Amino acid sequence: MSLSFIRSDLLNLDAYTANPQSDQENLIRLDANESPLNLPAELKVKLASLYEQVIATNRYPDGSHWELKNLISDYVNESPQSSTTINHNNISVGNGSDELIRSLLIATCLNENGSILVANPTFSMYAILAKSLGINVTSIPRKEAYFSINLELANQAITSENNPPIKVVFVVHPNSPTANCLTEIEINWLKQLPDNILVVIDEAYYEFSQQTLVSELAQHPNWVILRTFSKAFRLAAHRVGYGIASSEIINVLEKIRLPYNLPTFSQLAAKLALENRALILPAVQELMKEKDRVYQVLSQNKKFKVWQSDANFIYLRLKENPTSERHDQIRQKLQQENILIRQTGGGLRISIGTENENNQLLKQLKSWS
Ligand SMILES: *Cc1c(COP(=O)(O)O)cnc(C)c1O
């Protein structure tokens, strides 16, 4: 079939590829930066009983996300350095933050209204979702030393006679796959961007880094902060993300999303997780201790160049001859040993697992030659 009715740019687009799910028991998944910990058993029991007793499966979900938004704003207002208070009018909830990224793209750049700027290596979904909408992506490199953004090239991209002009800058704080937070210089650069550019700050790993720019939102109405329940909150299976922004931007996001974008079960899971965050979030500190340990061991391995990490994953490359073929060999060797990691951005990204999982990873990497 010719598929001539499909947009030709879509036929050539590479989608995001996730490793297939597997019920293989001894599989060690260090490839998607999820928490290695399931929800505490008592919360799963609670959630199951909510399903049994509260959910009317014949009814649509709460399309206003009212209670969830109130709980999220309470949680966001607890953020360190947060002086301004936000409320439900400053929150939009998506089917994962991926949905919010797509809504932001639709709201800003669709129909040749704008291009986006990304600094690679970074989260691949910005470019993939943009291209799926026919939106032009301008990519600039990061500086290898600390993966800071090449701001000269960023300024050139913004001021050049780009057609269509850059309307959105996507940054991650801390970045994936390279695990570094924005520097003060980068934050100051974001602050001076003209207000006809939307700045999207993806704080998917906020609970690990404990660094947030929420308190800047009041002074910068052209900023949006994205967060997710998929990482520290252990709810990747439920697909819940949220955006924090001025009520004006939130109103636009609410226009774009599907009316019942978040299933009832996912809303209940996110609410339960927030109400019981004292049971869930302390594990973040344990994971960060494991991250420090894994970093120490790996950085003593002379074969690897390993970067400091503000998140629950570590980025590394081979010191000598860091070709994608050689990185792929490492990835495949680990896969044979039932350990999944992610090859991306010219290197390898390894999520922090449980102590036992990390030990198995370290053992395999030590014997690799
Ligand atoms: C994991 C991750 C997300 C989370 O996406 P969801 O759709 O909420 O699961 C968002 N941004 C970055 C940079 C991530 O690494």
Side-chain angles (χ1 to χ4, degrees), residues 36-308:
L37 306 170
N38 208 324
L39 211 56
E42 56 182 297
L43 295 187
K44 284 191 129 180
V45 170
K46 189 84 200 293
L47 199 53
S49 82
L50 286 173
Y51 188 81
E52 211 169 40
Q53 289 159 24
V54 177
I55 294 185
T57 62
N58 56 318
R59 300 295 175 194
Y60 283 111
D62 174 1
S64 77
H65 310 148
W66 177 261
E67 287 176 38
L68 179 54
K69 284 182 177 186
N70 281 326
L71 286 169
I72 289 173
S73 41
D74 290 346
Y75 172 63
V76 172
N77 286 330
E78 278 173 16
S79 311
Q81 312 115 28
S82 175
S83 50
T84 47
T85 48
I86 59 128
N87 61 44
H88 60 269
N89 295 316
N90 304 113
I91 304 284
S92 184
V93 188
N95 196 284
S97 33
D98 288 349
E99 183 192 4
L100 293 156
I101 294 166
R102 177 146 68 183
S103 295
L104 288 166
L105 291 165
I106 292 171
T108 52
C109 296
L110 203 64
N111 295 335
E112 315 257 296
N113 274 295
S115 309
I116 68 164
L117 182 71
V118 295
N120 283 325
T122 195
F123 188 45
S124 59
M125 286 309 293
Y126 311 129
I128 292 172
L129 289 171
K131 288 175 190 163
S132 77
L133 294 165
I135 292 168
N136 182 57
V137 179
T138 299
S139 304
I140 53 162
R142 287 167 184 266
K143 297 178 182 169
E144 193 120 319
Y146 299 102
F147 288 114
S148 57
I149 300 169
N150 188 324
L151 295 177
E152 261 167 60
L153 291 180
N155 283 328
Q156 274 172 30
I158 285 171
T159 51
S160 80
E161 300 286 303
N162 246 315
N163 198 15
I166 285 170
K167 284 274 177 67
V168 190
V169 174
F170 282 97
V171 292
V172 198
H173 184 48
N175 188 40
S176 174
T178 57
N180 52 312
C181 275
L182 290 167
T183 63
E184 211 176 312
I185 294 173
E186 288 168 330
I187 293 170
N188 286 334
W189 178 76
L190 294 173
K191 286 180 181 170
Q192 56 78 54
L193 284 174
D195 65 5
N196 60 350
I197 292 181
L198 179 73
V199 175
V200 180
I201 299 161
D202 189 334
E203 293 187 352
Y205 300 96
Y206 154 69
E207 285 82 6
F208 299 99
S209 74
Q210 285 297 306
Q211 298 202 41
T212 177
L213 292 169
V214 161
S215 62
E216 297 291 337
L217 283 174
Q219 293 95 282
H220 300 284
N222 59 322
W223 287 17
V224 177
I225 289 179
L226 299 180
R227 292 200 191 158
T228 181
F229 286 86
S230 298
K231 307 284 158 59
F233 273 101
R234 316 184 201 175
L235 290 184
H238 283 285
R239 308 298 301 121
V240 189
Y242 56 97
I244 317 163
S246 70
S247 57
E248 289 87 350
I249 295 178
I250 294 300
N251 283 342
V252 174
L253 290 174
E254 294 285 299
K255 281 187 204 180
I256 291 168
R257 68 172 175 83
L258 298 176
Y260 303 113
N261 60 333
L262 203 60
T264 307
F265 199 39
S266 291
Q267 294 193 38
L268 284 178
K271 285 191 279 186
L272 193 72
L274 279 172
E275 284 162 350
N276 293 279
R277 54 189 177 273
L279 293 177
I280 298 173
L281 293 181
V284 162
Q285 284 154 33
E286 296 304 310
L287 284 170
M288 290 307 269
K289 275 189 207 146
E290 274 297 290
K291 184 266 297 179
D292 288 338
R293 181 177 75 91
V294 173
Y295 173 82
Q296 287 307 329
V297 176
L298 287 177
S299 54
Q300 278 156 25
N301 187 323
K302 293 195 176 61
K303 284 190 289 264
F304 298 122
K305 179 167 166 63
V306 188
W307 279 267
Q308 297 266 6

